[in-house]
Amino acid sequence: MIRHIVLLKARPEVTEDHLEAIFADLHALHLPGLLALHSGRSESPEQIERGYLHGFTVDFADWQALAAYQSHPDHQRVGRALVAAAEGGIDGILVFDLPIEDAP
C-alpha cells in the first residue's frame, strides 16, 4: 500500500469553507485502487505545523494506482484548486509518499 500525504499552507484570504469545498471535491473521486481518503485541519497539540494547517492522506493499493490517480483529469482539476489556494502556489504544498508494507 502507498500512503499519499499532502500538506497545505493556505493563503490567508482562503476561507475554511473554500478548503472544505476543495476537500469535498477530492472525496468525490472514486478511482480503482483508491482505498481510503481522509482530510481536514490539523489538531496537533504540538502546534509545529509551520503554517501547513490543512492536509489529506490517500491510501492506494500500489504505485500503479497512485500513478493512475496522478494522471486522472479529476485529480488534476482538484490539484489546480489546491495550488490556487496555497500560499506561494506549489511552494505552499508538501507531498510525501510512504510505502506501507504491512497494510491489511
Side-chain angles (χ1 to χ4, degrees):
M1 184 183 86
I2 308 302
R3 180 157 292 148
H4 181 66
I5 303 163
V6 178
L7 302 178
L8 173 73
K9 184 186 290 188
R11 290 182 295 113
E13 65 273 17
V14 174
T15 66
E16 290 289 327
D17 287 343
H18 183 72
L19 293 172
E20 286 178 21
I22 293 171
F23 289 152
D25 201 14
L26 183 66
H27 281 271
L29 296 177
H30 297 288
L31 304 173
L34 191 156
L35 305 175
L37 193 151
H38 304 279
S39 64
R41 182 180 174 92
S42 177
E43 297 182 16
S44 173
E46 295 173 305
Q47 298 182 355
I48 55 174
E49 296 95 339
R50 296 188 176 104
Y52 291 89
L53 297 177
H54 298 85
F56 61 92
T57 63
V58 187
D59 291 345
F60 291 99
D62 51 32
W63 289 108
Q64 291 79 16
L66 173 59
Y69 160 84
Q70 290 170 330
S71 64
H72 195 279
D74 291 340
H75 165 260
Q76 292 177 359
R77 177 179 40 77
V78 174
R80 286 190 297 275
L82 283 168
V83 170
E87 189 173 304
I90 196 74
D91 289 338
I93 298 174
L94 296 175
V95 177
F96 184 84
D97 292 319
L98 180 67
I100 309 288
E101 298 299 325
D102 297 329

